[in-house]
Amino acid sequence: DAGVIQSPRHEVTEMGQEVTLRCKPISGHNSLFWYRQTMMRGLELLIYFNNNVPIDDSGMPEDRFSAKMPNASFSTLKIQPSEPRDSAVYFCASSLRSSGANTGELFFGEGSRLTVL
Amino acid sequence: KNEVEQSPQNLTAQEGEFITINCSYSVGISALHWLQQHPGGGIVSLFMLSSGKKKHGRLIATINIQEKHSSLHITASHPRDSAVYICAVPYYGGATNKLIFGTGTLLAVQP
């Protein structure tokens, strides 16, 4: 399996521009997570989906952030308009979550490094 | 909400040394995750464990559910083990089961 695939790996944009990050989870996985990592705050969960349905988006910073999962093999995280404080590495992860409390083992993508000037 | 504490925050070791990283949490859990992140790199899941001990190569993870504590051990450490090691536990603060991450332990293994 190719693992979790994210694109782009690096993006540099100017404040106010729209940014779209993409993620292809591992085939067969039913949970998908978007995380943001910064030096100051470490890893933070932004949103996660189970079976393509958003379950918890309480970590999404504000209305400028939105995420979709139109099907089991694709998800996007969009920032519009972007701001310098959005600069971070954004990770997508997927897992196979069985019934019960466990999230299942997480498989991370390589991350998308975003710089907003 | 579950609280996670890792220690030490920074660790420098000589090649070949036995290394232990600790993780404590405040609320009972069903499973704990250990992750590894190399500088500037992606994140790799090392272990997910709910009881006892797991071993993978030179890495060993243990968990004591009653004491709410887990340890990650590295035997015969090598410079390529230099990375940030992160433990994560379920949030259990509501209807979701998202993970809460520790702040990580930065390990540097010197040759």
Side-chain angles (χ1 to χ4, degrees):
Chain A
D1 197 311
V4 177
I5 299 174
Q6 288 187 246
S7 65
R9 290 292 308 277
H10 302 271
E11 172 129 359
V12 180
T13 190
E14 292 187 345
M15 183 174 65
Q17 296 298 306
E18 178 179 294
V19 173
T20 299
L21 307 179
R22 298 172 178 79
C23 176
K24 177 178 167 52
I26 291 174
S27 177
H29 280 187
N30 55 10
S31 293
L32 183 140
F33 306 81
W34 282 102
Y35 292 97
R36 179 172 67 177
Q37 186 179 43
T38 61
M39 289 292 292
M40 292 296 294
R41 300 172 68 92
L43 267 170
E44 302 173 282
L45 177 67
L46 300 176
I47 185 171
Y48 83 87
F49 297 82
N50 273 352
N51 297 316
N52 313 341
V53 176
I55 301 300
D56 185 347
D57 65 354
S58 59
M60 296 286 260
E62 48 199 87
D63 292 345
R64 297 185 299 107
F65 285 68
S66 62
K68 294 182 180 180
M69 192 165 186
N71 56 62
S73 59
F74 183 67
S75 177
T76 59
L77 177 68
K78 187 174 293 187
I79 308 172
Q80 167 63 22
S82 59
E83 296 182 3
R85 59 192 168 123
D86 302 329
S87 298
V89 181
Y90 291 82
F91 286 99
C92 175
S94 70
S95 72
L96 180 60
R97 181 175 182 266
S98 58
S99 61
N102 287 349
T103 61
E105 185 179 4
L106 287 172
F107 294 82
F108 286 81
E110 291 292 312
S112 295
R113 183 175 294 276
L114 173 65
T115 302
V116 183
L117 303 175
Chain B
K1 178 183 175 181
N2 216 338
E3 301 291 340
V4 182
E5 289 188 2
Q6 280 187 242
S7 63
Q9 287 191 322
N10 295 280
L11 180 58
T12 300
Q14 294 298 312
E15 184 173 358
E17 284 186 9
F18 180 84
I19 289 165
T20 296
I21 299 170
N22 297 299
C23 177
S24 297
Y25 50 92
S26 58
V27 180
I29 60 171
S30 56
L32 178 145
H33 301 249
W34 280 104
L35 310 171
Q36 179 194 56
Q37 185 175 28
H38 284 99
I43 300 172
V44 174
S45 174
L46 297 176
F47 297 102
M48 186 180 76
L49 69 166
S50 55
S51 64
K53 179 171 71 174
K54 285 191 174 181
K55 184 175 187 293
H56 185 256
R58 294 181 295 105
L59 301 178
I60 303 168
T62 63
I63 189 168
N64 186 318
I65 295 294
Q66 287 74 29
E67 294 186 2
K68 299 184 177 64
H69 180 268
S70 176
S71 293
L72 177 67
H73 306 284
I74 304 175
T75 62
S77 60
H78 189 275
R80 64 175 175 265
D81 297 326
S82 299
V84 176
Y85 293 85
I86 305 167
C87 74
V89 301
Y91 177 75
Y92 283 164
T96 71
N97 290 310
K98 63 186 180 184
L99 294 178
I100 300 295
F101 295 89
T103 54
T105 295
L106 177 59
L107 171 65
V109 181
Q110 298 177 340

